[in-house]
Amino acid sequence: KGRRERVSRLGGGLLWVSLVLLVPRQGNTHPQCLDYKPPFQPREPLVFCKEYAKFGCCDLEKDDQISKNFYNIMDHFDYLGYVTCAKYIRTILCQECSPYAAHLYDAEDANTPMRDLPGLCGDYCTEFWQQCRYTISLLTDNNATAGIEEDRNKFCDLLELKDREYCYPNVLSNDKLNANLGDVWADPEGCVQLCLQEVANGLRNPVAMVHADDGTHRFFVAEQLGYVWTYLANGSRIDRPFLNLTRAVLTSPWAGDERGFLCMALHPRFTVVRKAYVYYSVSVKKEERIRISEFTLSTDDMNQLDHSSERTILEVVEPASNHNGGQLLFGHDGYLYIFIGDGGRAGDPFGKFGNSQNKSTLLGKVLRLDVDHNDNLDPYSIPSDNPFIGEKGSLPEIYAYGVRNMWRCSIDRGDPITGQGHGRLFCGDVGQNKFEEVDLIVKGGNYGWRAKEGFSCYDNTLCRNSSLDDVLPIFAYPHKLGKSVTGGYVYRGCQMPNLNGLYIFGDFMSGRLMSLKENGNTGDWEYKEICMGKGQTCKFPKLINSYYKYIISFAEDEAGELYFLATGAPSAAARAGVIYKIIDPSRRAPPGKCSFKPTHVNIKGKLIHFHPKEQFVIDKKPTTTAAPTTTTRTKATTNFPTPPAAVPFTTMKPTRNRVNKKGHGKRRRRKHRTGSVRLISTEQLSDRGRVEIYIRGEWGTVCDDLFNSKAATVVCRQLGFPVALRVAKRAELGGGGGSILLDDVECEGTERTLLDCKRAKVGKHNCAHDEDVGVVCGYHHDEDV
């Protein structure tokens, strides 16, 4: 009675929202704060809501606000009321700090209003009603609370969350939800679930992204054609190129052509030295070469190089058009590292032992040069501790050898606290027939090619040579997983603490994102595949959970956050390139910890503002569509090669439905033929979807193990499209529910149906529906997909 007399009733006008019944599933949900961002560990310990000090949604400032609110409310209670109700009031207020605040407040969707109070479990609500029913008006300004205190059913209809897993306090005792709270999410098969943010699009084979490390947080993106563009920290692009070498660069629109503008590196003291170094293919008197050049920043424009300042540092003759290498970077020692391929063709056939094992040639090598203090002298000098200085028959530029075609290397910044790993040099080395590998580059190291491919022998004679003493990879994977490694970075950024120390890389052909983590006890590198977050995992503003398959390169920005560059059509002429930022949705750094203010950038020209094309996960609405009932087959004379043959494409259109005499559209019915294909699209699009094939009287899906763009061309050609724009694997375009009928499909691109291709037996497979293959068809390679 004393409690009731001391409680004052507060009026108000906030509108209550209806409760939404959530059905969470393990691996298909995610904690989320009321600001629609992942939870975090506070920078300073919480004083009031101490139970959420290690992981939750409150910093010290929010904790203090909740504390003040609590004591203001408790001023309305006498001693007995305080003793009885304080624990309920405190608990309800502190749920704003819970890592599951979004579920408790019905705030999963940023586009809808939230509840005023967190959702309680039925038993707890009854207990609260029995002990402190008259305190509810103190917790909210909602006048809907008036007159419901005496009716338990009305009271709990207002407060109860029907979801038994996420209501309070059950959410605290749910082992599935709390076992790995705050850790990176993995699906039941151990695939790490991450999300992406689209940063740039419309690029033509973006091959490199670098930053100036000058406080501006701008970055420079190179296209294979020879353009380099400047992007500001807000995502906008300057319309004038930072560099334009399109007239000099040797490349073609062929899908898979490895020649072109391949890399750029800015001097580590760019603000003072103001020099950039580029790596590109060039033709000199009909002889193909690799050229390494130096450019100086324009005196008039901080966002443009002086095109007249080019100075050739090094040129290397290329005996073939592939295996061009293509990496430039500065080590922490200040020297310029250059990674050159073995000269091309298959099996490094040059000379007795190949170029890579021959230290009298620069092909198949890692070079290290000193490019400082070269203004009036030779373009470079040899660092005094290069490993083969003075060795007879060896070129002094060589730092390491025995490499095949290293594509994308990076320097580890080191752990931000301990410095562990600082300066390590990681590279992805593209393999020959069976294996791709990731290497740690050391001074004087022999990386085994052509004697070895990965851990296995390639040239048995060389491999048996006991004096080889080669450096083994830290990881190698078979062509079942992918056929062209793209080296990545060790994450050392601030925003996603869970990813610290994780080496993230990919494969150009299979589209797989992968990761390695060093075991501190054994020194072994442990592998985990990366997949896109499902269900609620990526339901945050601006996040997406799909990407174009062809992973060309990786990059990090000035703050150490990680990106990758990919395209839907691997041609230097196709504007299908996108830059993605990698996001861990399970945990973020405390608010304010990773904030920075970019220094001013003087702009000459216009700014082109960025507009993302991919739909955000939070905005997606589930849709379904019926499967197509007919299959149209049209002849075509071309395919989509990867890599690198050039074949002209014929423009064709799908067969239209017939129109009867009355003008009404009427679909022509025909029996399904064995080998017919169809695309099942959840977005009701006719040009893309999961591939299904008709065999033995049933429709079934196709697995992705060896399925490539040539097989996709066979599918698209049957459906009346001349071009296969993209192969989408791992159920990116939806997984089937019926039989898996085909696996290990390999085509030449000229077959009439997939059954004419090399393949496993019908119904024989070793995969699941999360590996169902999808295809995007079109008319021209340069169209958006």
Side-chain angles (χ1 to χ4, degrees), residues 209 409-411 487-491 502-505 554-556 562:
M209 167 181 159
C409 304
S410 63
I411 301 287
Y489 281 79
V490 177
Y491 179 81
L502 197 69
Y503 178 73
I504 297 178
F505 65 108
F554 285 79
E556 61 180 2
L562 193 56

Side-chain angles (χ1 to χ4, degrees), residues 370-642:
D370 184 349
V371 292
D372 283 340
H373 314 297
N374 65 350
D375 290 339
N376 300 313
L377 302 172
D378 293 331
Y380 66 86
S381 59
I382 305 298
S384 60
D385 63 338
N386 267 16
F388 302 109
I389 292 179
E391 182 178 295
K392 186 177 180 180
S394 297
L395 296 175
E397 292 90 346
I398 298 173
Y399 182 78
Y401 66 107
V403 306
R404 183 177 181 273
N405 188 31
M406 287 192 162
W407 183 249
R408 294 305 170 245
C409 304
S410 63
I411 301 287
D412 187 356
R413 295 188 181 203
D415 186 278
I417 297 175
T418 67
Q420 182 180 359
H422 178 81
R424 292 183 299 185
L425 177 49
F426 290 81
C427 283
D429 198 1
V430 179
Q432 180 68 49
N433 297 327
K434 295 181 179 180
F435 298 99
E436 307 296 308
E437 66 183 73
V438 177
D439 298 300
L440 273 174
I441 305 301
V442 296
K443 183 168 67 175
N446 178 4
Y447 288 85
W449 177 250
R450 73 185 185 201
K452 287 184 178 177
E453 180 187 10
F455 295 101
S456 301
C457 289
Y458 178 80
D459 184 322
N460 291 326
T461 302
L462 282 178
C463 197
R464 288 193 294 267
N465 186 345
S466 60
S467 65
L468 189 64
D469 192 26
D470 55 325
V471 180
L472 295 176
I474 62 171
F475 179 70
Y477 62 92
H479 281 185
K480 184 82 169 176
L481 291 181
K483 296 182 179 179
S484 183
V485 65
T486 300
Y489 281 79
V490 177
Y491 179 81
R492 300 297 188 186
C494 173
Q495 296 176 5
M496 291 162 284
N498 280 337
L499 301 187
N500 182 40
L502 197 69
Y503 178 73
I504 297 178
F505 65 108
D507 189 278
F508 175 80
M509 293 297 293
S510 69
R512 277 185 166 90
L513 286 170
M514 298 172 275
S515 72
L516 298 173
K517 186 68 177 285
E518 186 176 20
N519 186 313
N521 297 322
T522 66
D524 295 333
W525 290 82
E526 299 170 351
Y527 169 83
K528 281 191 176 181
E529 189 166 345
I530 293 173
C531 51
M532 293 295 95
K534 303 172 184 177
Q536 299 290 337
T537 304
C538 296
K539 259 200 167 180
F540 296 88
K542 298 184 179 180
L543 295 193
I544 61 177
N545 61 354
S546 62
Y547 60 91
Y548 286 151
K549 165 192 167 181
Y550 299 102
I551 302 172
I552 301 175
S553 188
F554 285 79
E556 61 180 2
D557 63 17
E558 190 169 340
E561 301 305 321
L562 193 56
Y563 303 74
F564 70 93
L565 292 64
T567 183
S571 164
R575 292 186 179 274
V578 180
I579 300 177
Y580 303 97
K581 182 179 180 181
I582 295 174
I583 303 292
D584 170 23
S586 62
R587 181 181 177 187
R588 59 173 162 150
K593 181 180 180 181
C594 305
S595 61
F596 59 83
K597 184 177 181 180
T599 57
H600 180 69
V601 177
N602 294 319
I603 305 298
K604 290 190 175 183
K606 298 180 181 179
L607 284 180
I608 301 173
H609 297 291
F610 170 64
H611 299 285
K613 292 184 177 180
E614 187 71 20
Q615 186 180 19
F616 303 139
V617 174
I618 200 168
D619 295 330
K620 287 183 179 179
K621 296 180 180 179
T623 58
T624 58
T625 182
T629 58
T630 64
T631 301
T632 307
R633 182 164 62 209
T634 308
K635 290 184 179 180
T637 59
T638 61
N639 60 10
F640 184 24
T642 304

Side-chain angles (χ1 to χ4, degrees), residues 49-355:
C49 301
K50 296 180 180 180
E51 62 269 41
Y52 301 114
K54 289 186 177 180
F55 187 67
C57 293
C58 289
D59 54 16
L60 195 60
E61 181 180 0
K62 182 63 178 179
D63 182 66
D64 184 58
Q65 292 176 2
I66 293 173
S67 174
K68 290 178 180 178
N69 190 18
F70 169 79
Y71 288 113
N72 287 337
I73 291 174
M74 299 317 296
D75 282 343
H76 295 277
F77 290 80
D78 58 17
Y79 175 76
L80 181 59
Y82 192 103
V83 171
T84 305
C85 296
K87 61 180 180 180
Y88 294 106
I89 302 298
R90 180 190 174 281
T91 292
I92 290 173
L93 293 176
C94 281
Q95 292 316 300
E96 283 194 51
C97 300
S98 167
Y100 296 108
H103 300 282
L104 294 171
Y105 285 84
D106 196 19
E108 291 268 50
D109 190 344
N111 301 310
T112 61
M114 296 185 297
R115 298 171 53 113
D116 290 346
L117 297 175
L120 308 179
C121 299
D123 295 343
Y124 188 83
C125 183
T126 298
E127 182 182 324
F128 178 38
W129 176 79
Q130 290 172 346
Q131 299 292 327
C132 303
R133 71 188 72 170
Y134 301 108
T135 66
I136 187 172
S137 59
L138 299 176
L139 291 167
T140 175
D141 291 337
N142 185 4
N143 56 11
T145 61
I148 68 170
E149 295 96 334
E150 300 297 341
D151 189 325
R152 184 267 170 205
N153 292 330
K154 291 182 179 179
F155 186 91
C156 286
D157 281 345
L158 199 62
L159 296 185
E160 187 178 353
L161 187 65
K162 304 299 182 181
D163 186 339
R164 294 290 299 171
E165 289 195 73
Y166 273 107
C167 60
Y168 182 85
N170 289 2
V171 69
L172 300 179
S173 57
N174 189 311
D175 292 338
K176 291 181 180 180
L177 297 175
N178 291 279
N180 299 303
L181 190 61
D183 294 339
V184 178
W185 278 76
D187 66 17
E189 297 180 357
C191 186
V192 175
Q193 294 191 44
L194 298 180
C195 307
L196 302 174
Q197 183 176 347
E198 187 180 353
V199 174
N201 53 40
L203 293 159
R204 292 160 293 194
N205 269 13
V207 293
M209 167 181 159
V210 299
H211 63 86
D213 198 22
D214 59 358
T216 63
H217 289 267
R218 59 188 167 152
F219 54 86
F220 306 92
V221 177
E223 295 178 314
Q224 189 177 356
L225 284 173
Y227 288 108
V228 181
W229 303 100
T230 304
Y231 286 81
L232 303 186
N234 63 7
S236 58
R237 175 171 69 86
I238 299 176
D239 67 341
R240 301 169 62 181
F242 183 67
L243 180 64
N244 179 0
L245 288 181
T246 53
R247 291 187 178 182
V249 168
L250 173 63
T251 189
S252 76
W254 301 348
D257 193 340
E258 298 179 19
R259 303 167 301 174
F261 189 104
L262 300 179
C263 200
M264 182 175 73
L266 303 183
H267 196 282
R269 292 180 289 115
F270 185 66
T271 54
V272 178
V273 178
R274 299 166 65 87
K275 290 182 178 180
Y277 298 83
V278 299
Y279 186 129
Y280 64 97
S281 304
V282 65
S283 179
V284 179
K285 297 180 180 179
K286 298 184 179 180
E287 183 179 64
E288 291 188 15
R289 300 181 185 180
I290 290 168
R291 177 178 291 169
I292 314 298
S293 289
E294 175 187 88
F295 285 85
T296 302
L297 191 66
S298 169
T299 57
D300 300 325
D301 190 347
M302 67 183 295
N303 298 301
Q304 195 168 66
L305 294 176
D306 181 353
H307 288 64
S308 66
S309 68
E310 181 174 13
R311 183 186 188 191
T312 300
I313 299 294
L314 182 70
E315 279 192 359
V316 181
V317 175
E318 274 283 352
S321 62
N322 59 342
H323 300 188
N324 299 302
Q327 179 72 51
L328 288 179
L329 57 81
F330 281 91
H332 288 166
D333 53 14
Y335 296 132
L336 179 64
Y337 289 75
I338 305 172
F339 301 79
I340 299 180
D342 65 6
R345 301 181 189 166
D348 193 6
F350 305 99
K352 185 176 180 180
F353 304 113
N355 285 326

